[in-house]
């Protein structure tokens, strides 16, 4: 996904973020259900991505279609998506799939109180991939178009009997609606979304020399207070920084190194 569709997905993710702290697995299930409706109706996909229709027209169409069928929260997310611009009809489905999966991932995150929940979900999905990845018979069975969906889901979930509800939902979705991919390939895509979510909980810290236990404890406490959550801190030593510290959490970089300050000084002197 690129261009206008990528921009729309980024904006939709930002709109979704405030909902994730209290999201339920039911919301993810509803969004996957809307995705199935869009995937099964090419005319509807074209209608809600038609660049010649304004956003209000497309929102009105989605409201009529899903009124009473999904929760108000799910309806708000769908309306936000259809109001945006998409380069290709398929792109809105790809975006909806990513948002639905993100909701399920956030539920695991909340249940596990942060990164532990995400690591548990990731392990469940990796367990499925490790069994299926090297077994061509299983791959064929899970991809067989003539097989009953319920039978394929039962087989897939039997492979990960101890998986949590969030992993089971994502695996079920990958088996029932792989959307042109192998089920295992879609699960791999879900793992990538888990990793993206994990970055919010990992602070990558670069320093010029190793930290003492006391310094590391102060750094941990300071970062936890700054970001309002218990971060996992990974420290690396980079003498080229000259002095100071660089911290990266997700997409945010806090840079207080001497190299950065010198570069800023040179830029000011060159003006």
């Amino acid at each position: 996904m690129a261009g206008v569709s990528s921009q729309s997905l980024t904006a939709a993710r930002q709109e979704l973020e405030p909902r994730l702290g209290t999201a339920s697995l039911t919301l993810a299930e509803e969004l996957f259900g809307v995705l199935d409706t869009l995937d099964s109706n090419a005319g509807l996909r074209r209608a809600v991505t038609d660049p010649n229709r304004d956003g209000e027209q497309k929102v009105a169409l989605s409201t009529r279609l899903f009124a009473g069928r999904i929760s108000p929260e799910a309806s708000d997310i769908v309306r936000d998506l259809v109001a945006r611009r998409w380069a290709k009809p398929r792109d809105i489905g790809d975006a909806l799939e990513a948002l639905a999966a993100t909701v399920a991932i956030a539920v695991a995150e909340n249940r596990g109180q942060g990164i532990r929940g995400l690591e548990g979900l990731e392990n469940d999905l990796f367990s499925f991939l490790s069994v299926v990845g090297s077994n061509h018979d299983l791959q064929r069975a899970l991809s067989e178009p003539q097989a009953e969906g319920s039978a394929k889901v039962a087989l897939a979930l039997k492979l990960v009997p101890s998986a949590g509800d969030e992993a089971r939902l994502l695996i079920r979705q990958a088996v029932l609606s792989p959307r042109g991919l192998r089920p295992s390939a879609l699960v791999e895509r879900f793992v990538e979304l888990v990793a993206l979510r994990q970055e919010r909980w990992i602070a990558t810290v670069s320093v010029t020399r190793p930290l003492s236990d006391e310094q590391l404890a102060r750094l941990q406490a300071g970062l936890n207070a700054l970001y309002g959550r218990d971060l996992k801190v990974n420290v690396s030593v980079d003498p080229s920084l000259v002095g100071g510290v660089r911290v990266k959490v997700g997409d945010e970089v806090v840079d207080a190194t001497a190299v950065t300050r010198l570069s800023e000084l040179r830029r000011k002197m060159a003006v």
Side-chain angles (χ1 to χ4, degrees):
M1 191 183 299
V4 66
S5 292
S6 178
Q7 295 170 9
S8 291
L9 175 56
T10 297
R13 279 176 165 152
Q14 292 171 347
E15 286 292 318
L16 178 67
E17 185 63 35
R19 303 177 183 272
L20 295 179
T22 57
S24 69
L25 209 54
T26 299
L27 177 59
E29 292 170 338
E30 289 182 307
L31 295 177
F32 278 135
V34 174
L35 172 61
D36 291 342
T37 300
L38 289 177
D39 279 346
S40 64
N41 191 324
L44 176 60
R45 286 198 306 279
R46 288 193 296 269
V48 296
T49 57
D50 185 350
N52 295 316
R53 290 177 180 239
D54 63 32
E56 290 184 1
Q57 290 177 313
K58 293 185 288 186
V59 167
L61 173 61
S62 72
T63 299
R64 289 196 304 271
L65 181 62
F66 295 110
R69 298 176 54 191
I70 57 177
S71 66
E73 188 174 19
S75 183
D76 286 345
I77 295 169
V78 173
R79 284 199 297 266
D80 177 69
L81 279 179
V82 301
R84 300 187 185 279
R85 297 175 58 212
W86 304 95
K88 298 181 296 184
R90 180 185 168 92
D91 288 350
I92 192 172
D94 291 345
L96 187 53
E97 180 181 74
L99 295 188
T102 298
V103 170
I105 291 165
V107 172
E109 177 183 23
N110 297 336
R111 179 175 53 78
Q113 298 182 327
I115 196 168
R116 289 186 295 276
L118 295 173
E119 289 173 341
L121 174 57
E122 186 178 54
N123 290 337
D124 287 344
L125 297 178
F126 272 134
S127 294
F128 173 80
L129 291 173
S130 66
V131 175
V132 174
S134 59
N135 192 315
H136 297 298
D137 290 337
L138 276 177
Q139 291 181 34
R140 283 194 295 270
L142 295 175
S143 302
E144 174 53 56
Q146 303 303 320
E148 287 287 340
S150 58
K152 291 191 289 186
V153 169
L155 172 61
L157 297 183
K158 189 180 294 185
L159 303 176
V160 283
S162 61
D165 291 341
E166 299 83 14
R168 293 169 70 86
L169 173 61
L170 294 176
I171 292 169
R172 182 185 301 111
Q173 180 67 21
V175 170
L176 291 178
S177 302
R179 308 184 70 240
L181 299 175
R182 290 177 291 102
S184 58
L186 185 50
V187 171
E188 289 172 357
R189 185 175 293 178
F190 292 153
V191 170
E192 292 172 1
L193 291 175
V194 176
L196 185 65
R197 194 79 189 157
Q198 283 176 318
E199 290 179 3
R200 299 173 64 255
W201 293 87
I202 298 174
T204 301
V205 180
S206 299
V207 293
T208 56
R209 60 178 63 88
L211 300 179
S212 67
D213 290 344
E214 182 181 354
Q215 289 173 319
L216 181 58
R218 289 203 303 268
L219 175 65
Q220 177 82 62
L223 289 173
N224 289 350
L226 178 63
Y227 286 91
R229 52 184 181 268
D230 292 332
L231 297 172
K232 179 179 180 181
V233 178
N234 295 330
V235 178
S236 64
V237 177
D238 183 358
S240 69
L241 295 179
V242 180
V245 60
R246 177 181 293 132
V247 179
K248 184 177 185 298
V249 179
D251 295 330
E252 182 177 353
V253 176
V254 180
D255 197 335
T257 66
V259 167
T260 298
R261 290 195 294 272
L262 287 172
S263 297
E264 290 173 352
L265 178 61
R266 291 192 190 101
R267 283 197 297 271
K268 291 177 181 178
M269 292 175 63
V271 174

